[in-house]
Amino acid sequence: MAMTLEQISEMLAKYPSKVEKNRKKHIIIKDSSADRQEIEANTRTIPGIITNRGCAYAGCKGVVLGPLKDMVHITHGPIGCGYYSWGTRRNKARADEPGQEFLNYCVSTDMQESDIVFGGEKKLAKVIDEVAGIFKPKAITVSATCPVGLIGDDINAVARAAEERLGIPILAFSCEGYKGVSQSAGHHIANNGLVERVIGAGDREEAAGKYPINLLGEYNIGGDSWEIERILDEIGYTVVSVMTGNGSYEDLKNAHTAELNLVQCHRSINYIAGMLETKYGTPWLKVNFIGVAATAESLRNMARYFDDPALTARTEEIIARELARVEPQIEQYRKLCEGKTAFCFVGGSRGHHYQGLFAELGIDTVLAGYEFAHRDDYEGRQVIPEIKTDADSKNIPDLHVTADERRFRLKVSPEKLAELQRQIPLSFYAGMQVDMADGTIMVDDLNHYETEEFIKLLKPDIFASGIKDKYVVQKMGIPAKQLHSYDYSGPYAGFGGAVNFARDVSMGFVSPTWNFIVPPWKEEPLLTGSVTEE
Ligand code: CFM
Ligand code: HCA
């Protein structure tokens, strides 16, 4: 059932008028005949609205730094932030060296009232000394929470002094939760720190094997990066580092030796991709390892970049083998899923990435959105390659690329240049808006009220989102699939992951549970009321 603008207007009319005006800009019905459809994103959530968003500290410490296993991550603040970010993001990792995996620990300065009044710097210095003494990590991070910024503790000075005292890198991140409008600000802060302090700090000049790549924006939720690496290893790539799933300080130090950066989650790590391009000239390629077709396409784009017939042949061989293995399995599950509809609302990239996988199961995504993505995640990125020969480049022409009004230059051989021109729109990617069907709905920063209203109107067969709305949605009689933690299942990425996803989603549909639940709109409401403006 398609939804009309009138229905959306009616839904928004329940808000006070200022809120109504604001929220209207965050919702669009896809219409490819329109000149340009702009969705507002990355703006402040209206106070009082129940949002799914997190804070800058969550984006920095929880998302980007959190999975780095051989560093101890200290939260400087009252205990709540450390405690509630302890193990909730599924930062799965295996130690590369015995005793050098600290992800199960929750280390916090546990600031008390007296620290807030008199300052917490001394306590932080003491905790750093204790951590270095007990765990003997390669490096330590310190992440600031809101009160630290409010009282003015200088975590950078404390970290610098500790670094001199202890002789290991101590990285301070001023990621106070209130910075920016969501966890997105925290991603940027973490990206800056890793480029400044870690990437390039290693002494390798060249990678240890052929076709060296980094996998950026892959966080190994449910073992995703292990499934992706299984294929990359088999094809013959050298994975220099994964940022940051199952990641390590050790690997990251030499990440500058990769020849190509793959970007899985663009939202959380585009800054590193961009900075490495500027600093080391390493190009980046947007990939998507969610779904069978997207995985095959990403592998083919990578092979095109390296432009080696042996690599291309090996890529095709592995793709053929994996397709023959997984397609019959997915076909079985497809029978249970075909014709159903989904809502797909996740943080900053999965709201788009999972739509292809749903489609492979015959499930149409009728509403999707991001918690905190920016406009470019919705709209995609246009790249216009243009060839120019630089007089001073000794007959090696450069490929000049213009993307989103930024220009950069890639050194390539003349043969490869001709190939590239035809094939790779390097760094090009389609955003959510490009891929969604006409009549489907996109909602930025979907909130609790709108979730309930959209469900009543569109009655999706499955709702894919996170822990905060999962149970509310299930109580409405609709299976809810967590696409952050995968409901503690997974992996869902790559070829093997697609089968796991198909199995789990099918289980959701066939569960008899839903027959025992009566959605609230089929019963009399317990409370009625209206919102009035003062
Ligand atoms: Fe990137 Fe992520 Fe996502 Fe994200 Fe996140 Fe996550 Fe996510 Mo939760 S980095 S934007 S900040 S893909 S933690 S692994 S699932 S909201 S869609
Ligand atoms: C975060 C982490 C989170 C939360 C998941 C959820 C994750 O935003 O700080 O709300 O279900 O993936 O763990 O996105």
Side-chain angles (χ1 to χ4, degrees):
M1 184 185 76
M3 210 172 154
T4 60
L5 269 175
E6 289 69 49
Q7 283 173 306
I8 292 179
S9 302
E10 239 172 74
M11 183 179 100
L12 298 180
K14 298 262 168 55
Y15 284 131
S17 65
K18 264 193 191 159
V19 181
E20 179 187 5
K21 226 192 255 162
N22 174 302
R23 287 303 302 158
K24 207 173 161 185
K25 299 184 205 146
H26 295 265
I27 303 175
I28 52 176
I29 302 181
K30 166 82 183 264
D31 175 6
S32 49
S33 67
D35 248 7
R36 190 186 163 94
Q37 286 193 293
E38 280 181 13
I39 189 161
E40 192 154 291
N42 192 32
T43 54
R44 194 167 290 281
T45 303
I46 298 162
I49 277 190
I50 305 176
T51 171
N52 273 346
R53 281 176 165 179
C55 65
Y57 161 82
C60 179
K61 185 265 179 186
V63 172
V64 180
L65 303 177
L68 292 167
K69 60 192 173 189
D70 55 354
M71 303 165 103
V72 173
H73 306 292
I74 300 174
T75 298
H76 185 37
I79 196 61
C81 303
Y83 183 74
Y84 288 107
S85 64
W86 181 23
T88 49
R89 171 76 153 9
R90 290 185 76 199
N91 298 332
K92 279 170 89 77
R94 290 189 195 120
D96 293 332
E97 290 168 52
Q100 287 292 310
E101 200 270 84
F102 307 109
L103 297 196
N104 290 326
Y105 293 99
C106 168
V107 184
S108 168
T109 51
D110 184 21
M111 286 170 93
Q112 303 291 317
E113 205 175 334
S114 60
D115 304 314
I116 300 291
V117 175
F118 299 108
E121 292 177 4
K122 283 196 186 116
K123 195 167 191 188
L124 175 60
K126 189 162 172 272
V127 170
I128 295 173
D129 288 347
E130 280 176 16
V131 162
I134 297 168
F135 298 106
K136 306 197 169 34
K138 297 263 160 69
I140 293 172
T141 71
V142 175
S143 293
T145 60
C146 296
V148 171
L150 297 175
I151 65 172
D153 270 5
D154 187 348
I155 61 166
N156 284 287
V158 175
R160 260 195 314 275
E163 198 164 279
E164 276 174 31
R165 210 167 49 242
L166 302 165
I168 55 167
I170 314 229
L171 282 62
F173 294 87
S174 298
C175 56
E176 285 84 353
Y178 54 74
K179 287 191 169 163
V181 300
S182 68
Q183 49 270 66
S184 179
H187 301 148
H188 203 155
I189 292 165
N191 279 215
N192 288 347
L194 293 178
V195 171
E196 264 167 42
R197 297 292 317 272
V198 186
I199 301 171
D203 44 22
R204 276 188 176 277
E205 274 169 23
E206 269 184 24
K210 274 183 111 176
Y211 318 122
I213 52 169
N214 292 314
L215 179 50
L216 273 65
E218 169 46 57
Y219 299 95
N220 200 31
I221 307 301
D224 276 355
S225 80
W226 289 325
E227 174 60 10
I228 299 166
E229 282 177 87
R230 175 180 73 83
I231 296 292
L232 298 181
D233 288 346
E234 270 197 281
I235 293 175
Y237 289 102
T238 305
V239 180
V240 180
S241 75
V242 179
M243 292 183 212
T244 54
N246 186 37
S248 71
Y249 176 75
E250 272 308 299
D251 289 346
L252 230 62
K253 278 198 306 191
N254 290 307
H256 60 287
T257 61
E259 283 173 25
L260 178 67
N261 288 323
L262 308 179
V263 177
Q264 166 72 21
C265 168
H266 170 268
R267 180 65 274 130
S268 59
I269 212 142
N270 64 7
Y271 320 101
I272 290 186
M275 286 185 273
L276 295 188
E277 192 167 57
T278 309
K279 206 164 161 184
Y280 301 101
T282 324
W284 60 272
L285 177 68
K286 179 75 190 77
V287 289
N288 176 15
F289 290 114
I290 303 297
V292 174
T295 300
E297 191 196 337
S298 299
L299 294 173
R300 289 189 173 119
N301 283 342
M302 291 167 63
R304 279 186 198 122
Y305 174 78
F306 283 99
D307 193 26
D308 174 336
L311 183 74
T312 305
R314 183 75 181 140
T315 302
E316 290 304 331
E317 196 184 310
I318 299 284
I319 292 175
R321 188 197 70 195
E322 291 291 316
L323 291 188
R325 186 175 70 86
V326 303
E327 278 184 336
Q329 297 181 60
I330 292 177
E331 196 44 43
Q332 288 304 311
Y333 293 120
R334 194 184 157 97
K335 289 177 191 147
L336 298 166
C337 300
E338 184 101 57
K340 301 223 187 285
T341 58
F343 280 13
C344 191
F345 181 75
V346 209
S349 68
R350 294 179 175 192
H352 178 210
H353 282 162
Y354 274 82
Q355 292 189 30
L357 186 47
F358 272 131
E360 282 167 8
L361 297 175
I363 301 171
D364 290 331
T365 303
V366 292
L367 179 146
Y370 298 124
E371 285 175 31
F372 51 77
H374 299 198
R375 282 264 302 276
D376 53 352
D377 301 294
Y378 286 100
E379 290 169 5
R381 192 165 192 254
Q382 299 279 337
V383 173
I384 307 139
E386 134 199 28
I387 315 296
K388 275 190 193 162
T389 312
D390 268 7
D392 59 353
S393 67
K394 298 198 187 83
N395 296 331
I396 300 179
D398 290 347
L399 178 66
H400 290 249
V401 179
T402 315
D404 302 340
E405 287 156 29
R406 287 166 52 226
R407 295 177 59 80
F408 40 94
R409 210 170 67 173
L410 309 170
K411 281 245 177 286
V412 287
S413 69
E415 300 77 44
K416 188 145 164 188
L417 184 66
E419 187 74 8
L420 276 175
Q421 256 183 297
R422 271 188 291 118
Q423 296 163 333
I424 300 200
L426 261 178
S427 313
F428 166 82
Y429 60 86
M432 178 189 278
Q433 264 172 263
V434 184
D435 281 348
M436 287 190 73
D438 275 347
T440 60
I441 297 171
M442 274 154 274
V443 189
D444 178 68
D445 189 17
L446 178 69
N447 58 49
H448 183 91
Y449 163 69
E450 290 162 16
T451 297
E452 290 199 353
E453 294 302 305
F454 277 119
I455 287 180
K456 282 182 211 162
L457 287 161
L458 292 172
K459 304 197 171 48
D461 296 297
I462 188 162
F463 192 109
S465 66
I467 191 82
K468 293 161 200 147
D469 42 15
K470 178 184 175 74
Y471 299 101
V472 176
V473 171
Q474 289 192 163
K475 283 175 189 165
M476 295 170 102
I478 291 159
K481 178 81 223 142
Q482 289 189 68
L483 281 189
H484 298 255
S485 67
Y486 302 162
D487 294 296
Y488 326 106
S489 177
Y492 286 163
F495 297 113
V499 179
N500 293 338
F501 184 75
R503 179 201 60 209
D504 291 356
V505 165
S506 303
M507 274 199 302
F509 289 140
V510 298
S511 165
T513 317
W514 315 115
N515 301 329
F516 301 106
I517 295 171
V518 183
W521 59 84
K522 290 200 177 160
E523 290 178 332
E524 286 294 302
L526 291 173
L527 290 171
T528 53
S530 59
V531 182
T532 46
E533 265 183 280
E534 290 199 337

